Amino acid sequence: MTSASYHCTHGEAAPSVSLISNTQVDANGIFFVSYDGVVNVNSFQLSAVLTYSNWQYAAWYTSTKTAILARRQLPSGSWTTLQLPHQLSTSDSHNVISLGVSPADGKIHVALDCHSTQVYYTSSEAGLATSGASWIANRFGNITNTLGNLNIGSTITYPQFVITSDNLLQFVFRSGVSGNGATQLAEYSGGSWSNVGSWASGTGTYTSTNGATSTARNLYIHGFTYRSSSAHVTGTWREQNGAVSCSSGGLTNHDTTYFYSEDKGRTWKNSAGTQVGTSGSNPVNVNTAGIIVDSLNADHGLMNQESQDVDSAGQIHAIISYVPGRFTQCVTDYAANRTSYARPFHVYRSTNGTFTKMEIPFAINAVGRSQIVLDSADNAYVVLPYVRIVTASKASGWTDWTLAYDGVAEGLNAFGEVTVDRARVTSSGVLSILYQLTSSGTTPSAVKVIDFTLNG
């Protein structure tokens, strides 16, 4: 029986969402567009909005460039803000703020303001994540260019905090630069940070379908997701040599990769279960066997750093997007071509080890990225640019994609890309989305958090 007939026979419907609230957290967030994005809202932030226990935290830069941290008590408390003693150093949308919590001591960790530069980092006093103590800046330590006690170098990008299945805090980041970098991991335990090492390197040789070769790159990841004691990673390679693409106006991203770790990022296995990498000594690279789960050359404007989630059976689900071949076989202006033609695709693994890729039948209408989350019943919700939420039911085999909420029609006026609170989906089935209103030039605009119940 096909997925479609199963869907029709049983009369299942794609999941719906219900708007709970839409709350302004800052009337005057800093606004500028760089690298097609805004600094307060990027898909790769883990996390700009984060639930821990019965508190929700958010971070952004206000119009004066000052870094703001906010907190509210769930489900519907009012937001309280504090100002960190740090101002955004440059008008670069990579230089986001990311938040994490270490469960062992209840500290809130903040990493910010880096793009192939030194990171800025601070952490709170112990217990602040759960105590509800007064929300003031002096509960945070001095801002340093190290990860607490650990020197992680001076070319840092994409700071991300994740919590392991046994409640350790980890820090994922890239060292080096775009097209020539390594993906790194550090771990917080016993009150201090230690280095786990590089788990994906820029080494090896890639030969494009056009015959061009590239000898340096970096892996852009769609996430770093723990489920049932395994860490799952999907991603795409960005080549340094532009000749691997049909046009200098395209993107040199190619292929979708997947591998996972059963020991908190020390060793890595491909989808077949074969060990293919060891962090620090033998990281995964472009020539690693068995990690490509969807082949695509560098001619299609494939986007990096979209999103992923893992279902209750431990199977990975990722969103990728690119310009399908029916529109063009050669993207010559990735921003314009993606805005006109790009489509999102749902890529997922089944328990028998096969991967499926399905086009989601809604245009992106933007350069930027989308966010996938799964509810407790493994139904899929994808937040497209401009807060358009499309959904598909597990019962249909994720084929019944439906527009459940249209932020454009509702007049949200959101800048394209958004970021989400993944922890709150897991803990309470509520989807919180951080977005910023679009603006022009450098005119500040409102930063908001909009909440939805996932109805399944």
Side-chain angles (χ1 to χ4, degrees):
M1 183 180 294
T2 67
S3 297
S5 64
Y6 181 91
H7 168 218
C8 295
T9 300
H10 289 76
E12 301 286 349
S16 65
V17 300
S18 299
L19 176 64
I20 301 170
S21 62
N22 189 2
T23 308
Q24 180 172 287
V25 293
D26 192 336
N28 294 291
I30 195 170
F31 186 92
F32 57 85
V33 177
S34 84
Y35 297 92
D36 310 299
V38 295
V39 72
N40 283 333
V41 188
N42 272 283
S43 69
F44 50 77
Q45 286 173 275
L46 289 175
S47 300
V49 55
L50 174 68
T51 289
Y52 189 81
S53 185
N54 61 335
W55 297 92
Q56 187 174 48
Y57 301 93
W60 64 91
Y61 298 99
T62 194
S63 58
T64 60
K65 301 185 179 182
T66 298
I68 305 294
L69 303 185
R71 179 184 73 178
R72 68 172 168 177
Q73 190 162 13
L74 294 174
S76 55
S78 57
W79 287 96
T80 303
T81 62
L82 64 81
Q83 296 189 1
L84 287 180
H86 182 82
Q87 290 194 312
L88 178 66
S89 61
T90 185
S91 295
D92 185 333
S93 66
H94 290 80
N95 292 44
V96 299
I97 309 173
S98 288
L99 304 175
V101 172
S102 45
D105 57 14
K107 289 185 177 182
I108 300 167
H109 300 253
V110 187
L112 70 159
D113 196 10
C114 55
H115 181 197
S116 303
T117 54
Q118 60 190 5
V119 71
Y120 293 89
Y121 166 86
T122 185
S123 62
S124 75
E125 63 186 36
L128 185 60
T130 56
S131 69
S134 58
W135 191 242
I136 51 177
N138 66 11
R139 296 194 185 278
F140 287 81
N142 292 332
I143 294 176
T144 64
N145 295 126
T146 57
L147 194 64
N149 59 287
L150 183 65
N151 184 350
I152 56 173
S154 58
T155 55
I156 309 305
T157 317
Y158 310 120
Q160 301 178 327
F161 293 101
V162 296
I163 295 177
T164 68
S165 297
D166 60 350
N167 278 335
L168 292 178
L169 183 67
Q170 293 185 324
F171 184 66
V172 181
F173 62 99
R174 188 189 73 193
S175 61
V177 298
S178 176
N180 190 9
T183 314
Q184 306 273 357
L185 183 65
E187 186 172 274
Y188 182 80
S189 181
S192 66
W193 288 96
S194 60
N195 184 45
V196 176
S198 169
W199 47 274
S201 78
T203 62
T205 299
Y206 171 70
T207 302
S208 173
T209 50
N210 66 14
T213 59
S214 178
T215 56
R217 70 205 48 81
N218 69 281
L219 181 71
Y220 281 116
I221 61 173
H222 299 314
F224 195 104
T225 308
Y226 275 94
R227 186 80 187 237
S228 302
S229 77
S230 292
H232 302 262
V233 176
T234 55
T236 183
W237 297 107
R238 163 77 59 86
E239 295 299 325
Q240 185 182 60
N241 183 6
V244 301
S245 177
C246 62
S247 170
S248 61
L251 292 170
T252 60
N253 300 335
H254 63 90
D255 298 318
T256 297
T257 61
Y258 168 68
F259 43 92
Y260 68 97
S261 174
E262 297 173 317
D263 55 10
K264 291 181 285 192
R266 272 67 176 177
T267 61
W268 297 92
K269 295 180 177 180
N270 63 19
S271 181
T274 303
Q275 184 172 319
V276 293
T278 302
S279 295
S281 60
N282 183 34
V284 170
N285 67 40
V286 74
N287 301 127
T288 296
I291 62 170
I292 295 175
V293 298
D294 185 66
S295 297
L296 191 72
N297 69 16
D299 296 343
H300 302 283
L302 176 66
M303 183 49 68
N304 44 284
Q305 296 164 296
E306 296 236 13
S307 60
Q308 64 174 42
D309 206 346
V310 179
D311 68 24
S312 61
Q315 306 302 304
I316 189 75
H317 295 247
I319 295 298
I320 66 172
S321 65
Y322 58 89
V323 176
R326 65 180 181 271
F327 297 111
T328 180
Q329 290 291 341
C330 180
V331 166
T332 57
D333 180 335
Y334 80 86
N337 293 172
R338 281 184 55 84
T339 302
S340 296
Y341 305 122
R343 296 294 187 272
F345 293 81
H346 177 213
V347 178
Y348 64 92
R349 187 182 190 273
S350 299
T351 52
N352 65 4
T354 61
F355 276 80
T356 301
K357 178 173 70 171
M358 172 169 287
E359 180 175 336
I360 298 173
F362 294 91
I364 293 173
N365 299 328
V367 181
R369 309 162 175 104
S370 301
Q371 294 282 328
I372 184 171
V373 300
L374 303 174
D375 67 16
S376 58
D378 296 334
N379 299 305
Y381 305 75
V382 176
V383 188
L384 301 174
Y386 315 113
V387 196
R388 292 170 296 148
I389 305 174
V390 297
T391 69
S393 65
K394 180 184 179 182
S396 73
W398 301 288
T399 60
D400 56 352
W401 290 99
T402 302
L403 182 62
Y405 180 85
D406 187 346
V408 176
E410 295 294 332
L412 295 190
N413 196 31
F415 184 86
E417 202 162 298
V418 303
T419 190
V420 302
D421 184 343
R422 297 184 171 277
R424 194 177 185 193
V425 173
T426 302
S427 63
S428 63
V430 173
L431 175 61
S432 290
I433 301 168
L434 181 74
Y435 74 96
Q436 185 163 357
L437 269 62
T438 193
S439 188
S440 59
T442 57
T443 302
S445 65
V447 179
K448 293 188 172 186
V449 177
I450 188 169
D451 297 332
F452 297 90
T453 301
L454 306 182
N455 296 322

